[in-house]
Structure formats: structure tokens, C-alpha cells
């Protein structure tokens, strides 16, 4: 007899031929998540199991964060021939519980000496006799005692909800513009949840932004990485570009021109990463560079689609998600971002394209971009 975890995945994406591929990808991601705990991940009859881990609580914490996992059930695996032992185990698993229950038996071994209704009746009867605080309710029980008869017997009661979504990599790749703020980690998380493998690009304006500000961004990437199975963060030296813009371009256009440079560089990074879209944490009207007109001028420098999953969210709604996914605390640490260092007093909210182009014509954009790209440092988070 041993304790293990039964991992459940969503069924809707699993019709037909996709199923083995999806399960294979999910197993890879779970293996990555638990490898430091010595966990063994295996598949039996379309069920994913994790066994041999050193720390069950930590193992559950990690597996419930992996995109594609819908719930995790701590289970007992035991021999199936000793039915008395199975009943006793079921009784132990509900000891101390109050309310209603049902037993749900499943047999993949059709030669087993009892069928599912018989198992339900026998195990249910034993539970009723041993625990007077439990009553049967087959329609809407508080607890379901699951008994699965395969090559061995598996029993579980507790179902711990997980993050859901699809395994990253099953829906392509995208590159996230990751700042140290609240919005961009949430944006990256939302797209990755749909099965997109993300890489990140961060613009760092040393010495105007400190090493600690960079460390904070890498910490955010590490938090996302628990669900995303590893993120490469490209740190781009951005000081020279910002200084040049600040010196040579009209003050009210500096933020927008800076953002256009970010998008151009991010697109090049995305190409290097074989990604086919960009992700930002922008939301309409949040700041001057996120008015409808401003967003149009930043989109127009790239040809890749730009995903902005929080575009219609209020700040409080974004904060809610940040808290749920565990990035809020780190995002709230008070370190400067490159956007805030050179912020103009009166940024243009209704920018004119000819003024942007006139400002940019004073810069050698291509040389600046190439130099920034040559200076990229990659961190594996
Ligand atoms: P905040 O919660 O402070 O709004 P933010 O990450 O949304 O944080 P904004 O100034 O609103 O920051 O920037 C809008 C978007 O531009 C961000 O969501 C992010 O995608 C991108 N961005 C901003 N600064 C950087 C940076 N230094 N490196 C990479 N991307 C950045
Ligand atoms: Mg923002």
C-alpha cells in the first residue's frame, strides 16, 4: 500500500486523436515541476499518477500550478484482492467527516469478482456502520469516495482544484513584454494558461533602474515559471535608447517613441524565440500611452499580432488575478521601472503620427536597436 497523487485533466480538449499528444505534453510538464522532489510521473490507462515524492504537500502545491491540470487527488494504491482491506481503507479515509457521501466505484478490470454497484453497496454499507455522522446522498453528496479497480485498487476522497488551462507548448509560442509592474505578469499568465509557451523580454535602464529592480522582474518570471515550465528572460540594455529619445525627441512624445522601440525590439526577440505573437499588460486608458490612439501607434511598428489579455480589465480586476496567481506581492515592491524614470510631465494622449515620425527621424533607429539586441543577456527562470 502506498500514497500517491492522481492527476486529473480537463476532458473537453481531449476528443479523438489529440488525447495521447495532450497527455504526453502534460506528463512532461508535471515531471519538470516535481523533479526536485524525486517524484515519479507515469500514465496508466489515461490516468496520470505521481508517486515516490519526498514532500506530499509541496508536490501537490507544484502539480496544482501546472497548466493543463484541473485537479489533484491524494490517493491510496493497494492490492485489489483483499476486499476487506479496501473497505477498511475507505472507512479510514472518511473518519471524522460529517455530512453526506456516496461511493463511486469504477472497474477497468472487468473480471474483478464484484461489479461496480456491488462495490458501491459493500463499501457504502461499511462506511455507514462505522461513521454515524455520514448519510448517503447519491445526487449531491458532500464527499465522494472513489474506488477504482485497475491492475491495483485506487481509493481517493479529496479533490484539490488546480489551475486548469492547457499544457504550455500545445498552442504555440509568444513573447511577453515583462515589466516589474502588476499587469504584465498577469497578461503573460493568462495567455500561457491557454497552452502558449512564453518567453519574456525586459527593458532595463541601468543605472537608472537598479539590480534589485531587475531581480524583482526575474522573481516574477520564476513565479510564472511554476505554471509555464521554464521561461527565458531576455534582458535588453535600454539606457542609451532612452537617453537619445530624451535628448532628441519632443518631450510629450518620448514615452510613445520609447514604447515603439520596445515593440520593435520585442518583435526581434520573438523571432529569435520562434514566437508568433507579442503579449503586453496594457489596458485601455490606464495611462497616456494606453489610450486607443496611443495603442494604435505602438501596434503599427510590428507585424506580429499583439495580445493584450487585460485590455478591458479595471485595475482592481487585474489585482485580483495577481493575488490569485501569487505575483501581486512581488509586483508591489517599490522598485523603479524604466518607464517611470524618464516620464514626461504632459505625455501626448492623442498623438499625431507625423510628429512621432519626425521625432524618430532624429534617431538612428536601426543602429540603436541592433546595439541593444547585441547587449541582451538571457536568464533562465
Ligand atoms: P503597472 O502595474 O505599473 O501598470 P505595467 O507592467 O502594466 O505595470 P505599464 O507602464 O503600464 O507597466 O506598461 C505597459 C506595458 O508595457 C506593460 O504591461 C508591459 O507589457 C510593457 N512594459 C512596460 N515597461 C516594460 C519594461 N521595462 N520591460 C518590458 N516590458 C515593459
Ligand atoms: Mg499597466
Amino acid at each position: 500500500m502506498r500514497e500517491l497523487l492522481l492527476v486529473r485533466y480537463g476532458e473537453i480538449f481531449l476528443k479523438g486523436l489529440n488525447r495521447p499528444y495532450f497527455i504526453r505534453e502534460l506528463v512532461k510538464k508535471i515531471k519538470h515541476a516535481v523533479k526536485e522532489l524525486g517524484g515519479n510521473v507515469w500514465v496508466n490507462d489515461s490516468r496520470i499518477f505521481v508517486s515516490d515524492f519526498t514532500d506530499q504537500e509541496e508536490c501537490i502545491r507544484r502539480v496544482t500550478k501546472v497548466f493543463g491540470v484541473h485537479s489533484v487527488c491524494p490517493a491510496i494504491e493497494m492490492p485489489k484482492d483483499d476486499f476487506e482491506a479496501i473497505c477498511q481503507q475507505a472507512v479510514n479515509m472518511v473518519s471524522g467527516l460529517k455530512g453526506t457521501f456516496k461511493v463511486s466505484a469504477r472497474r477497468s478490470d472487468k473480471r474483478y469478482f464484484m461489479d461496480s454497484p456491488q462495490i458501491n453497496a459493500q463499501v457504502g454499507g461499511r462506511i455507514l456502520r462505522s461513521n454515524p455522522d455520514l448519510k448517503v446522498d447519491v445526487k449531491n453528496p458532500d464527499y465522494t469516495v472513489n474506488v477504482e479497480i485497475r491492475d491495483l485498487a485506487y481509493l481517493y476522497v479529496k479533490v484539490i482544484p488546480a489551475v486548469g488551462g492547457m499544457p504550455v507548448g500545445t498552442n504555440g509560442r509568444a513573447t511577453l513584454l515583462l515589466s516589474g509592474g502588476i499587469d504584465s505578469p498577469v497578461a503573460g499568465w493568462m495567455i500561457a494558461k491557454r497552452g502558449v509557451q512564453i518567453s519574456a523580454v525586459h527593458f532595463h535602464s541601468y543605472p537608472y533602474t537598479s539590480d534589485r529592480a531587475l531581480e524583482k522582474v526575474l522573481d516574477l518570471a520564476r513565479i510564472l515559471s511554476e505554471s509555464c515550465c521554464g521561461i527565458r528572460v531576455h534582458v535588453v540594455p535600454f539606457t542609451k535608447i532612452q537617453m537619445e529619445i530624451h535628448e532628441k525627441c519632443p518631450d510629450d512624445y518620448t514615452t510613445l517613441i520609447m514604447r515603439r522601440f520596445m515593440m520593435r525590439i520585442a518583435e526581434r526577440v520573438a523571432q529569435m524565440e520562434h514566437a508568433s505573437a507579442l503579449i503586453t499588460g496594457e489596458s485601455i486608458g490606464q495611462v497616456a500611452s494606453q489610450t486607443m490612439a496611443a495603442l494604435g501607434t505602438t501596434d503599427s511598428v510590428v507585424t506580429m499580432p499583439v495580445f493584450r489579455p487585460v485590455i478591458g480589465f479595471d485595475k482592481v480586476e487585474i489585482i485580483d488575478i495577481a493575488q490569485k496567481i501569487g505575483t501581486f506581492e512581488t509586483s508591489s515592491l517599490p522598485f523603479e521601472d524604466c518607464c517611470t524614470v524618464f516620464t514626461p510631465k504632459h505625455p501626448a494622449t492623442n498623438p499625431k503620427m507625423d510628429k512621432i515620425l519626425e521625432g524618430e527621424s532624429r534617431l538612428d533607429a536601426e543602429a540603436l536597436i541592433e546595439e541593444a539586441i547585441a547587449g541582451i543577456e538571457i536568464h533562465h527562470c
Side-chain angles (χ1 to χ4, degrees):
M1 187 164 96
R2 62 171 174 171
E3 286 180 31
L4 37 63
L5 304 179
L6 191 158
V7 180
R8 290 162 143 190
Y9 42 81
E11 300 289 328
I12 12 177
F13 313 115
L14 299 182
K15 304 281 181 252
L17 298 173
N18 268 337
R19 192 183 176 107
Y21 165 68
F22 178 95
I23 294 176
R24 234 178 11 252
E25 289 304 309
L26 186 55
V27 165
K28 271 194 230 161
K29 306 305 183 266
I30 297 171
K31 277 187 177 163
H32 183 269
V34 302
K35 70 170 182 272
E36 283 164 19
L37 304 173
N40 184 21
V41 185
W42 41 281
V43 180
N44 181 354
D45 204 12
S46 296
R47 287 266 194 224
I48 300 174
F49 293 93
V50 186
S51 61
D52 307 306
F53 36 77
T54 48
D55 177 344
Q56 191 190 55
E57 206 177 309
E58 178 60 12
C59 198
I60 291 173
R61 194 192 72 78
R62 291 188 189 196
V63 177
T64 51
K65 282 186 181 290
V66 174
F67 287 133
V69 175
H70 283 250
S71 60
V72 174
C73 311
I76 296 288
E77 178 191 71
M78 59 195 297
K80 62 185 170 186
D81 303 326
D82 186 352
F83 191 71
E84 169 55 29
I86 290 176
C87 291
Q88 191 53 51
Q89 183 58 43
V91 165
N92 294 347
M93 287 171 96
V94 297
S95 96
L97 299 182
K98 292 185 171 67
T100 57
F101 81 103
K102 74 168 180 185
V103 180
S104 173
R106 237 161 304 169
R107 286 185 318 162
S108 63
D109 172 7
K110 297 295 178 204
R111 287 167 314 175
Y112 195 60
F113 65 94
M114 274 195 272
D115 64 13
S116 300
Q118 285 171 325
I119 300 172
N120 289 342
Q122 292 283 331
V123 176
R126 281 290 297 275
I127 290 174
L128 280 174
R129 286 196 292 281
S130 69
N131 185 340
D133 296 327
L134 282 174
K135 291 195 171 45
V136 173
D137 179 351
V138 289
K139 285 224 177 73
N140 190 20
D142 299 326
Y143 307 101
T144 300
V145 180
N146 293 278
V147 180
E148 298 193 4
I149 305 291
R150 302 170 179 278
D151 44 352
L152 292 161
Y154 295 90
L155 277 74
Y156 58 95
V157 179
K158 208 168 170 188
V159 179
I160 302 161
V163 62
M166 301 164 84
V168 294
T170 57
N171 272 325
R173 296 166 186 241
T175 296
L176 167 68
L177 285 85
L178 179 62
S179 71
I182 294 166
D183 308 328
S184 50
V186 169
W189 188 90
M190 288 172 74
I191 297 296
K193 184 167 188 266
R194 299 302 305 154
V196 177
Q197 175 78 57
I198 55 173
S199 52
V201 51
H202 175 69
F203 298 93
H204 187 51
S205 301
Y206 189 80
Y208 297 96
T209 56
S210 64
D211 284 341
R212 288 179 71 195
L214 174 60
E215 202 43 50
K216 165 182 167 179
V217 172
L218 298 178
D219 280 343
L220 287 169
R222 286 181 197 113
I223 297 170
L224 293 180
S225 179
E226 290 199 304
S227 292
C228 300
C229 201
I231 297 179
R232 264 190 303 277
V233 182
H234 297 250
V235 178
V236 182
F238 205 50
T239 317
K240 182 161 175 193
I241 292 178
Q242 285 199 292
M243 303 285 277
E244 289 257 321
I245 295 172
H246 193 61
E247 257 169 49
K248 297 182 179 163
C249 300
D251 196 47
D252 50 344
Y253 278 78
T254 53
T255 305
L256 264 192
I257 292 174
M258 178 195 78
R259 296 201 56 76
R260 283 162 58 93
F261 271 87
M262 285 185 173
M263 297 298 272
R264 290 180 179 110
I265 293 171
E267 187 175 51
R268 306 258 183 119
V269 171
Q271 282 157 353
M272 295 190 269
E273 285 281 336
H274 305 289
S276 49
L278 301 175
I279 309 166
T280 79
E282 289 161 311
S283 136
I284 294 176
Q286 190 185 78
V287 288
S289 60
Q290 294 172 32
T291 61
M292 293 275 284
L295 290 170
T297 68
T298 49
D299 256 9
S300 65
V301 294
V302 293
T303 54
M304 277 185 191
V306 182
F307 296 150
R308 300 182 170 92
V310 300
I311 193 76
F313 284 22
D314 294 349
K315 194 76 185 186
V316 286
E317 293 171 308
I318 302 173
I319 288 175
D320 265 359
I321 302 177
Q323 279 168 330
K324 194 179 90 190
I325 68 176
T327 53
F328 181 69
E329 224 174 284
T330 305
S331 289
S332 306
L333 295 171
F335 300 123
E336 63 296 321
D337 181 63
C338 71
C339 289
T340 50
V341 177
F342 295 94
T343 314
K345 282 208 179 60
H346 302 290
T349 51
N350 191 15
K352 301 285 173 287
M353 199 42 120
D354 51 345
K355 284 199 77 176
I356 293 175
L357 294 176
E358 198 276 320
E360 285 180 352
S361 73
R362 300 178 200 173
L363 309 168
D364 186 349
E366 193 49 38
L368 285 169
I369 290 171
E370 272 176 21
E371 190 182 337
I373 286 176
I376 285 178
E377 272 178 24
I378 300 179
H379 296 253
H380 297 266
C381 293

